[in-house]
Amino acid sequence: MTRQEWDAAELHDPLLREAYALCETILQEENHAAHTWMRDQLRPDRRPYWDAMIAFCGQADDIADAHGVPLAERLRRYDAFTDGFFRLLHATRHAPPATALGPLAGEPGRRPAADQAKLVKLAFCDFVHTWQLCEVGVRQAGDALRADLTTETYDTVYALERYMHGVSGEPARWLAVLLGQRGQALDEGCQNAAIAWGFGIQTLDFLLDIADDLRMGKLYVPLEDLHRCGLTRTELERAVAAGEASQPLRDLIASQLERVRGYFTAAERWLDRSRPAGWDAIRQSLAEGWATVDRLACCDHDVFALTAEST
């Protein structure tokens, strides 16, 4: 992160600069290629806030998905994480960062892991305050991720979309805030377009990651769609494990792609009508999403043929 980005973002507090710099370092070390691409599309004064958003969400994901940690312990850690975050969020409304955070061990760049986690929270708290994000929405995002810890399947499209609203819809709204003017509230059309874009991208990810998710005991395709295509979960698991694109599985993929098309079309209609400045990155993301949809359709909805490539 450059000093120019800090100055452009009006980040002058030394502890806040350290917190935002740490977020960028974490993302660089973890090679978040997609997030790096989006970062490069943003104006310099928005990039530190994007780093904080992605690093914080990644921190929450790491706790929720910790391998080898029993579910009860992951739930305990996640609750402690969210409780600590909201305490800090409220404290930073009325106190400077150093006072709200308390003493830290070590020196900048050499903090222990526990204090690094606090700094990531501090950066995201500053993002929430600076850009006036809705605390209710932040809580919805956290609650959705926690609920998913104890959920293996979603019976209906409605249930799956409730989950997606928290884990992709809300972050998409936060990105939309960064694409706009500071202090300017998002209108309903803008919010709905951002959420539709997020839903479409995540639904595509569900299809491309279906094998990995099933290995972890997760299924992000509504059971009502499985039954409509003549599949049981057991049959789906067997087909995916064998890498066999049976006709019912192809039908299932086709049904999910139709939903992706609906999400993308809703986002594009608003973009075409409103022509918002600064949304070129979303347009490019949509174009690449449409290309993936077309590739899946061209291989007769054989998701294994597509995921065998570098996508």
Side-chain angles (χ1 to χ4, degrees):
M1 185 178 298
T2 66
R3 185 176 298 275
Q4 288 79 7
E5 289 175 352
W6 285 335
D7 291 342
E10 301 180 9
L11 295 170
H12 305 298
D13 182 275
L15 192 59
L16 281 179
R17 288 194 174 200
E18 180 186 351
Y20 279 104
L22 174 62
C23 291
E24 188 195 18
T25 298
I26 290 171
L27 298 180
Q28 288 177 337
E29 292 175 350
E30 295 182 358
N31 192 27
H32 287 257
H35 304 318
T36 299
W37 175 85
M38 182 62 78
R39 185 185 199 277
D40 291 342
Q41 313 308 308
L42 296 173
R43 288 170 40 179
D45 64 329
R46 314 299 164 91
R47 293 172 186 168
Y49 301 107
W50 171 257
D51 295 338
M53 168 182 158
I54 300 302
F56 178 79
C57 292
Q59 194 176 67
D61 283 339
D62 288 345
I63 295 171
D65 297 337
H67 296 299
V69 179
L71 174 60
E73 176 60 16
R74 281 185 285 142
L75 288 167
R76 187 197 67 77
R77 292 181 186 178
Y78 189 81
D79 289 342
F81 166 80
T82 53
D83 289 347
F85 167 74
F86 283 109
R87 283 197 301 271
L88 184 61
L89 182 67
H90 297 156
T92 48
R93 285 201 184 104
H94 310 292
T99 301
L101 200 61
L104 300 174
E107 300 295 329
R110 304 183 67 179
R111 305 288 191 190
D115 284 345
Q116 288 187 22
K118 292 179 183 178
L119 286 167
V120 171
K121 291 178 183 175
L122 177 66
F124 189 67
C125 285
D126 184 67
F127 174 33
V128 172
H129 293 318
T130 301
W131 290 88
Q132 300 175 20
L133 301 185
C134 173
E135 182 178 332
V136 172
V138 177
R139 286 188 180 275
Q140 286 177 340
D143 290 346
L145 186 55
R146 189 193 191 281
D148 189 60
L149 279 167
T150 56
T151 304
E152 293 184 352
T153 58
Y154 293 86
D155 291 338
T156 64
V157 174
Y158 175 76
L160 183 60
E161 285 188 339
R162 283 188 62 191
Y163 162 67
M164 289 199 299
H165 186 87
V167 298
S168 64
E170 283 300 320
R173 287 181 66 256
W174 304 338
L175 174 59
V177 169
L178 281 180
L179 294 175
Q181 297 298 317
R182 186 182 296 189
Q184 180 178 337
L186 299 179
D187 63 42
E188 185 176 1
C190 177
Q191 295 186 57
N192 290 340
I195 291 169
W197 166 72
F199 278 20
I201 295 298
Q202 181 156 41
T203 302
L204 268 182
D205 284 344
F206 288 157
L207 298 181
L208 298 177
D209 295 341
I210 191 169
D212 291 339
D213 290 337
L214 284 173
R215 278 193 289 271
M216 294 187 294
K218 297 286 191 177
L219 175 61
Y220 294 105
V221 176
L223 289 181
E224 65 181 7
D225 287 352
L226 260 71
H227 300 156
R228 192 176 296 115
C229 295
L231 277 170
T232 65
R233 174 162 177 164
T234 300
E235 290 168 340
L236 174 65
E237 290 173 342
R238 287 173 181 167
V240 170
E244 296 176 354
S246 64
Q247 189 57 52
L249 179 53
R250 291 174 191 264
D251 293 343
L252 179 66
I253 299 301
S255 72
Q256 303 311 294
L257 286 187
E258 197 56 34
R259 191 161 292 125
V260 172
R261 292 186 182 98
Y263 294 140
F264 284 173
T265 298
E268 284 187 336
R269 282 176 180 164
W270 180 81
L271 282 169
D272 292 341
R273 183 174 63 252
S274 302
R275 299 189 179 279
W279 279 58
D280 291 345
I282 302 300
R283 283 195 177 277
Q284 187 171 342
S285 174
L286 283 166
E288 297 197 12
W290 277 116
T292 301
V293 169
D294 291 342
R295 289 165 66 194
L296 266 169
C298 286
C299 64
D300 195 18
H301 306 107
D302 183 351
V303 70
F304 308 115
L306 188 63
T307 54
E309 306 173 11
S310 177
T311 56

